[in-house]
Amino acid sequence: MTHAALLVCPTSGKGRAARMAGTVAASLREAVDRLDLHVGYSAADTARLARKAVADGVDVLVVLGGDGGAHLGVQACAESGTALAVVPAGTGNDLAAVLGTTGVADVVSRLRSGERRRLDLGLASNGTWFATVLCAGFDSAVNERANAMRWPAGPRRYDLAILAELAALRALPLVVETEHGVEEVDATLVAVGNTPNYGGGIPICPGADPADGLFDVTVVTGVSRTALVRMLPTLRTGGHVEHVAVRTLRARSVRLAGDNGWVGYADGERVEALPLTVECRPGALSVVSA
């Protein structure tokens, strides 16, 4: 018997998840023996319901939402006997892309076949798990500024935050410590990738493999505003790693520090200010995936 729980994040995708919930639940019931339905109306409530489902011993936790909801599901399912599945209904859906699920039909197919695999996870020093990318610097500063703004609503808030951060852009001291040694550079951003993509499909760490026991680390060193703007289009192809200002390395653990005031964001969610340490935990998450 397969006991599953559907965790709905109703605000994901500007209400898209709420509109999909009935159809998704009906489809899942055709593939499992028992389905519990949970609807989280806040991040804290969603996290609580995810933990409850895992404590109840469900075989699979299916998250209907975006990367924020998936991130909360990861916190509950990490190093547990519960597999995570994601039905994408957000704006970014980076973890769903890693899992190869474009909709509920993909999840249903794999539930019926019993397909599972294990993925590595990152574990931050404050106890937060992440499945995709942890970043700090320019991109996390954009998130910080946008989250503090009350106007305007929607994507325009991020557009204004990007412009403001570009105006204030300057390279700051960054210390990157791994099992291989210590590097001290002036940098504009750093990304620690368990998977390649963040921000809705941007391959910031294009070579990252979530099943190799290692992080891929991308560091953009001191670069002018003009050079950064010119580099941005290459982020969509992964070509930025060829730029002279970009350094890459691979490691099992990474400590980020520096007198820079940066804050780490992982899976698009705020983690903590630097200094912080992240460790790769091989095979820490069971997933319903291709």
Side-chain angles (χ1 to χ4, degrees):
M1 290 183 63
T2 301
H3 179 192
L6 174 62
L7 179 62
V8 181
C9 307
T11 60
S12 294
K14 297 183 179 179
R16 182 179 174 221
R19 295 190 295 271
M20 295 169 57
T23 301
V24 169
S27 296
L28 291 173
R29 287 192 177 99
E30 297 177 359
V32 299
D33 300 290
R34 174 181 167 184
L35 181 71
D36 301 335
L37 180 61
H38 301 292
V39 181
Y41 290 98
S42 68
D45 190 38
T46 301
R48 177 185 64 82
L49 291 170
R51 291 193 301 269
K52 181 181 184 301
V54 172
D56 288 344
V58 298
D59 301 300
V60 180
L61 176 66
V62 183
V63 175
L64 173 58
D67 284 323
H71 177 74
L72 295 174
V74 166
Q75 308 312 304
C77 293
E79 294 188 336
S80 79
T82 299
L84 179 69
V86 179
V87 178
T91 54
N93 304 315
D94 287 314
L95 182 56
V98 172
L99 303 183
T101 53
T102 60
V104 67
D106 293 326
V107 175
V108 167
S109 173
R110 286 151 197 169
L111 285 172
R112 285 176 171 159
S113 69
E115 290 181 69
R116 300 283 190 280
R117 65 180 173 125
R118 301 202 72 88
L119 299 184
D120 305 338
L121 288 178
L123 179 62
S125 43
N126 72 344
T128 299
W129 296 94
F130 67 96
T132 57
V133 177
L134 179 140
C135 65
F138 174 76
D139 37 14
S140 62
V142 169
N143 274 315
E144 284 281 281
R145 184 179 290 271
N147 289 341
M149 295 168 65
R150 294 293 174 263
W151 180 92
R156 283 288 297 157
R157 179 182 300 176
Y158 286 90
D159 292 342
L160 290 179
I162 288 170
L163 289 174
E165 289 302 323
L166 276 174
L169 180 70
R170 61 192 179 97
L172 293 170
L174 176 68
V175 179
V176 181
E177 181 178 353
T178 72
E179 66 269 23
H180 306 298
V182 179
E183 291 193 30
E184 298 185 21
V185 297
D186 287 337
T188 53
L189 70 87
V190 58
V192 181
N194 183 52
T195 63
N197 296 350
Y198 74 166
I202 298 172
I204 187 67
C205 300
D209 179 350
D212 66 358
L214 295 169
F215 294 127
D216 278 33
V217 184
T218 299
V219 180
V220 179
T221 60
V223 63
S224 68
R225 296 180 187 89
T226 301
L228 182 60
V229 169
R230 288 175 177 169
M231 190 190 300
L232 291 177
T234 67
L235 289 173
R236 286 290 176 185
T237 64
H240 61 284
V241 297
E242 303 299 328
H243 194 282
V244 66
V246 177
R247 299 186 185 182
T248 61
L249 59 123
R250 309 186 78 211
R252 291 189 301 273
S253 67
V254 182
R255 182 178 184 271
L256 303 174
D259 185 17
N260 51 35
W262 288 359
V263 175
Y265 271 69
D267 296 341
E269 303 297 316
R270 195 181 201 274
V271 178
E272 64 177 332
L274 273 58
L276 64 82
T277 301
V278 292
E279 297 180 4
C280 184
R281 294 291 182 91
L285 183 69
S286 174
V287 294
V288 175
S289 170

